[in-house]
């Protein structure tokens, strides 16, 4: 490369700063989860859901203000299948008076509505959901480790799974910091973040593997740097277009999916960072070399004694 040719940005030159930044975020997130904890939604804590059918599509903000004025604190209001169907979920325990009382409050002013159903979700169901969700995340990470280890190499498997755990912990830490409600939609967003971050990491890992086999000159530092440089435009374009959609979803999607969109926005930003720095850093720490990625020769290739002999009928011609 000539001296006047533009050199690629030295991503690995900032790896120590990036490592300190990531460790600090992880420690802070774990501390927040240990001290403040997550503000678990009614999917996990239990509560009562009441379904109403309106004669005309109501304003959800009006329903929220009525319930807030009546003294209810933990509740969510959303459409359920149609504009005229409203699902009110409340943290209050089930009792015979709750559904009629909420119906009375919402009917004030001559609003025409009908109580369709009232259902209570107990805390035991919530506990089971917490256990199942945690188990689901662990299984997802384990499957990723096995897949990437078989598809690439074990060091690449570790360098792919650790960034995923890094992303999930940081998203949970932000939710613990601001005490945003953590419900099943946020859990779904976390699983989506794992898939998105893995896809980004695999693209970088595949280019690193390819360059280790193709570039005969250069230290691992230089090869990883060049690989990130070659994929950075794709990474930024993909993340940028995804964020545009998620911001629109957050601003226009309504309260029911706000936390879902928030979790994905944070996850995409952190996942883009981790696919560049956390994964590549781990490969450097584990000392990945060309020898790790050499394709073993096929048995018999290059060995005259093992070369395939032509069929007998061809020798007789």
């Amino acid at each position: 490369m000539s001296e006047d040719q533009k050199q690629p940005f030295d991503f690995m030159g900032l790896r120590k700063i990036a490592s300190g930044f990531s460790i600090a975020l992880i420690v802070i997130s774990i501390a927040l989860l240990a001290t403040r904890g997550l503000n678990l939604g009614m999917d996990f804590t239990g509560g009562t859901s009441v379904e109403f059918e309106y004669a005309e599509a109501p304003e959800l903000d009006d329903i929220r203000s009525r319930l807030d004025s009546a003294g209810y604190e933990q509740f969510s209001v959303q459409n359920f299948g149609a504009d005229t169907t409203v699902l009110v979920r409340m943290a209050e325990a089930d009792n015979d008076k709750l559904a009629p009382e909420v119906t009375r409050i919402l009917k004030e002013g001559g609003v025409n509505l009908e109580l369709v159903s009232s259902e209570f979700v107990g805390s035991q169901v919530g506990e089971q959901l917490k256990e199942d969700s945690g188990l689901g995340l662990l299984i997802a990470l384990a499957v990723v480790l096995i897949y990437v280890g078989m598809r690439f190499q074990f060091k690449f498997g570790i360098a792919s799974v650790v960034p995923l755990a890094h992303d999930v912990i940081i998203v949970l830490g932000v939710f613990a910091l601001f005490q945003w409600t953590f419900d099943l939609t946020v859990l779904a967003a976390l699983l989506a973040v794992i898939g998105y971050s893995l896809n980004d990491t695999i693209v970088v890992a595949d280019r690193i593997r390819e360059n280790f086999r193709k570039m005969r000159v250069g230290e691992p530092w230089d090869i990883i740097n060049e690989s990130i440089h070659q994929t950075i435009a794709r990474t930024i374009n993909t993340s940028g277009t995804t964020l545009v959609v998620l911001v629109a979803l957050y601003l226009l999607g309504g309260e029911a999916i706000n936390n879902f969109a928030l979790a994905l926005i944070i996850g995409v930003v952190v996942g883009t960072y981790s696919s560049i720095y956390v994964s590549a850093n781990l490969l450097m720490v584990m000392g990945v070399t060309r020898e790790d990625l050499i394709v073993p020769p096929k048995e018999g290739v290059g060995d005259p004694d093992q070369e395939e002999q032509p069929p007998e009928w061809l020798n007789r011609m």
Side-chain angles (χ1 to χ4, degrees), residues 60-72:
L60 299 184
D61 287 338
D62 177 62
I63 298 175
R64 295 186 187 104
S65 63
R66 287 170 178 258
L67 294 174
D68 187 62
S69 300
Y72 294 105

Side-chain angles (χ1 to χ4, degrees), residues 224-251:
I224 292 176
N225 232 1
E226 179 64 18
S227 301
I228 296 174
H229 177 70
Q230 292 172 359
T231 57
I232 189 65
R234 178 263 176 202
T235 298
I236 292 175
N237 290 337
T238 303
S239 300
T241 52
T242 304
L243 284 174
V244 168
V245 175
L246 291 176
V247 170
L249 191 63
Y250 174 74
L251 295 176

Side-chain angles (χ1 to χ4, degrees), residues 38-270:
L38 292 170
N39 179 20
L40 296 176
M42 284 174 285
D43 294 325
F44 298 102
T45 60
T48 302
S49 62
V50 187
E51 183 181 346
F52 297 98
E53 182 68 33
Y54 282 73
E56 298 180 358
E59 291 290 337
L60 299 184
D61 287 338
D62 177 62
I63 298 175
R64 295 186 187 104
S65 63
R66 287 170 178 258
L67 294 174
D68 187 62
S69 300
Y72 294 105
E73 296 180 355
Q74 295 183 337
F75 60 84
S76 66
V77 179
Q78 63 189 77
N79 289 117
F80 188 64
D83 292 340
T84 56
T85 304
V86 174
L87 183 66
V88 179
R89 306 175 70 184
M90 317 186 73
E92 280 75 8
D94 187 33
N95 61 70
D96 296 336
K97 298 181 180 179
L98 180 61
E101 179 66 19
V102 173
T103 304
R104 183 189 63 78
I105 293 170
L106 298 183
K107 276 187 173 183
E108 289 178 355
V111 177
N112 187 4
L113 62 85
E114 179 184 351
L115 173 63
V116 177
S117 65
S118 175
E119 183 179 4
F120 175 69
V121 178
S123 58
Q124 289 184 346
V125 176
E127 286 295 330
Q128 183 177 355
L129 280 174
K130 283 191 286 186
E131 294 174 2
D132 291 346
S133 60
L135 181 61
L137 287 173
L138 291 176
I139 291 175
L141 294 177
V143 170
V144 169
L145 175 61
I146 295 171
Y147 165 74
V148 179
M150 295 174 61
R151 180 70 176 80
F152 292 91
Q153 198 262 354
F154 184 71
K155 290 179 182 178
F156 280 81
I158 297 295
S160 297
V161 169
V162 172
L164 302 185
H166 165 277
D167 301 343
V168 170
I169 291 173
I170 291 177
V171 173
L172 291 175
V174 173
F175 268 75
L177 173 64
F178 294 103
Q179 287 295 288
W180 293 328
T181 302
F182 185 90
D183 53 21
L184 287 179
T185 63
V186 179
L187 176 62
L190 286 179
L191 293 174
V193 166
I194 289 176
Y196 179 90
S197 182
L198 175 63
N199 177 68
D200 224 17
T201 303
I202 289 295
V203 170
V204 178
D206 189 56
R207 185 57 58 90
I208 291 174
R209 179 182 64 170
E210 179 182 334
N211 285 337
F212 261 103
R213 293 172 176 173
K214 183 172 64 176
M215 297 172 64
R216 301 300 181 185
V217 179
E219 297 297 320
W221 174 299
D222 302 313
I223 296 173
I224 292 176
N225 232 1
E226 179 64 18
S227 301
I228 296 174
H229 177 70
Q230 292 172 359
T231 57
I232 189 65
R234 178 263 176 202
T235 298
I236 292 175
N237 290 337
T238 303
S239 300
T241 52
T242 304
L243 284 174
V244 168
V245 175
L246 291 176
V247 170
L249 191 63
Y250 174 74
L251 295 176
L252 305 175
E255 183 186 13
I257 58 173
N258 274 2
N259 287 343
F260 172 80
L262 269 175
L264 280 176
I265 290 171
I266 300 167
V268 167
V269 172
V270 177

